[in-house]
Amino acid sequence: NSLSQQGVLCRRYVTVMSWWEEERYPEGIKWKFLEHKGPVFAPPYEPLPENVKFYYDGKVMKLSTKAEEVATFFAKMLDHEYTTKEIFRKNFFKDWRKEMTSEEKSTITSLSKCDFTHMSQYFKAQTEARKQMSKEEKQKIKEENERLLKEYGYCVMDNHKERIANFKIEPPGLFRGRGNHPKMGMLKRRIMPEDIIINCSKDSKVPPPPPGHKWKEVRHDNKVTWLVSWTENIQGSIKYIMLNPSSRIKGEKDWQKYETARRLKKCVDKIRNQYREDWKSKEMKVRQRAVALYFIDKLALRAGNEKEEGETADTVGCCSLRVEHIKLHPELDGQEYVVEFDFLGKDSIRYYNKVPVEKRVFKNLQLFMENKQPEDDLFDRLNTSILNKHLQDLMEGLTAKVFRTYNASITLQQQLKELTNPDDNIPAKILSYNRANRAVAILCNHQRAPPKTFEKSMMNLQSKIDAKKEQLADARRELKSAKADAKVRRDEKSKNKKKAVQRIEEQLMKLEVQATDREENKQIALSTSKLNYLDPRISVAWCKKWGIPIEKIYNKTQREKFAWAIDMAEEDYEF
DNA sequence: AACGATACTTAGGACGCAGCGA
DNA sequence: TCGCTGCGTCCTAAGTATCGTT
């Protein structure tokens, strides 16, 4: 590959040491040398063939290229429910009209008179054709992707060739936020080289812009980790191209995150005593801070930054909870002082929980809610910045999110201790691991939509189990009769029958374990906690202790991300 | 203290393909 | 061999946190 001399030379000097064995940079400096090939742009728009028609008010209408492109975005989504939503249609139509010629604008005045069905059929046929492609054609595409990855998918950062996480620029399309997003349907515009800021080191070969184009800017800032950035037009926020989780720069940060959480472990008792004291404070702000922190600690809630109204879906975290999001029950189902939470969190995922709390917390909540409307802030004297400033005083580097990391990891460690049965075989031990993982996912409220095929696949599994049970019964009968025979005439037969029974029993157990695991996992996503909250060294140590191959717990990508932990952790590692 | 800009982590869903059993 | 399904990868949205300015 054509990465410059310097990168290649640097790499040659360091061949055996992994990044976690190298010296760390001084605070704030992220790298000394950075070279990359720049981003890959979305393929240009290909106009529709002449025979694919768009109809307005029942009549064929030929669209200008720009208007046609945006129309195809809508046509491709026609089967989705959200193209029927008022906000989506309104936002789309407004942005579409901006792309039209003045004649188009004066003709096309109502979205409901637009007929995209022919276009939609065309795209469906294209998808179908792609599926039907021959092996060779598919192979060709695969090779082209690999070539692109090889050329643009890596950079040189200091002594390492590193994988880039997202080297492709996001293609244009219609924005679809999560949940009830006020901007759904808006046009996400095409990003051009003129929008792009390149970041690399001065002594590197700066990537050339595509012919006939210029970069917006080339800068050399080694206080940041990104290679490329641009401003997106929906929220006006900045998007970045950064490195893969397997890279030094991400791995080191990840390691550091867990080390901070481990420092919290050492002082969490003190902090808990402190906030319990603060529940009694005469200052309202201090009480609110203490109750919020209690929720963050006990329930692993997110911090809850303020959001600009009307810019995003209406979701909340701890500090931004409103009165309408909780209900107080002095008594519920035989328990005292129960708080019922019901709100939409990140990604508009519902958080629903009924939690018994200390009397003091309950009384404080009643106080906070006095004379307030449902839409008022529960913690009106508090925000994340106040909370984090306080946390910083309690421990260096402590912020609200550290509690989630800490509680997730400590829960995994405890659960593994509790659930692992030394006498279990490997599949049963892995079930225990998944259950420990699941406890964390439930704590963090990591949900997923039940797979579309869930019921069906569950039934299939059940019928397999039934078949296996019958098979076992047969085998047992045969064993019995073989034993009866053996009284008269000793032979190998009963031994073999016994083995067969054992084998089938084992197979049955494996299936049953699988069924349990799948049922319990119906609406729970394990991967998010595994990837972001659980100190990988806990899992590595557990695998070493019980002789479980690491591949059973982490797939290839995960092993790459956690290579540092796999290398470092011994079986006696304690979080 | 409020605000806007910036940088970075965390998140669920779509989709495609490998591997498995019929 | 074929069809299904479950897993992994890709995608990019949506959070957290901090900093400088007013």
Side-chain angles (χ1 to χ4, degrees), chain A residues 243-258:
Chain A
L243 298 192
N244 195 71
S246 62
S247 63
R248 187 212 101 226
I249 203 120
K250 294 291 181 191
E252 219 166 64
K253 198 77 186 295
D254 207 36
W255 180 14
Q256 203 182 95
K257 174 181 80 186
Y258 293 112

Side-chain angles (χ1 to χ4, degrees), chain A residues 254-255 257-259 261-262 405 408-410 412-413 433 529-530 532-541 554 562 564-565 569 573-575:
Chain A
D254 207 36
W255 180 14
K257 174 181 80 186
Y258 293 112
E259 288 307 302
R262 292 174 88 197
T405 311
S409 288
I410 201 76
L412 179 76
Q413 189 170 79
Y433 180 90
S529 49
K530 205 178 203 176
N532 300 301
Y533 288 102
L534 301 177
D535 182 343
R537 292 168 294 184
I538 299 169
S539 301
V540 172
Y554 291 140
F562 298 132
W564 59 274
Y573 175 77
E574 271 268 345
F575 172 74

Side-chain angles (χ1 to χ4, degrees), chain A residues 301 316-318 321 325-326 341-345 349-352:
Chain A
L301 299 191
V316 296
C318 186
L321 279 171
H325 295 131
I326 64 167
F341 292 83
D342 192 353
F343 62 88
L344 297 182
I349 297 291
R350 186 178 181 204
Y351 183 92
Y352 183 78

Side-chain angles (χ1 to χ4, degrees), chain A residues 61-67 96-108:
Chain A
M61 186 174 171
K62 171 79 186 156
L63 295 171
S64 66
T65 308
K66 277 174 90 181
W96 186 27
R97 282 177 59 81
K98 291 181 202 156
E99 303 299 311
M100 292 177 188
T101 63
S102 46
E103 293 102 283
E104 285 167 338
K105 232 185 263 182
S106 58
T107 310
I108 303 173

Side-chain angles (χ1 to χ4, degrees), chain A residues 387-406:
Chain A
L387 178 63
N388 280 334
K389 250 179 220 129
H390 172 63
L391 293 176
Q392 195 62 238
D393 292 339
L394 298 178
M395 186 193 104
E396 200 195 326
L398 186 59
T399 62
K401 83 199 250 305
V402 179
F403 282 87
R404 250 167 102 81
T405 311
Y406 162 71

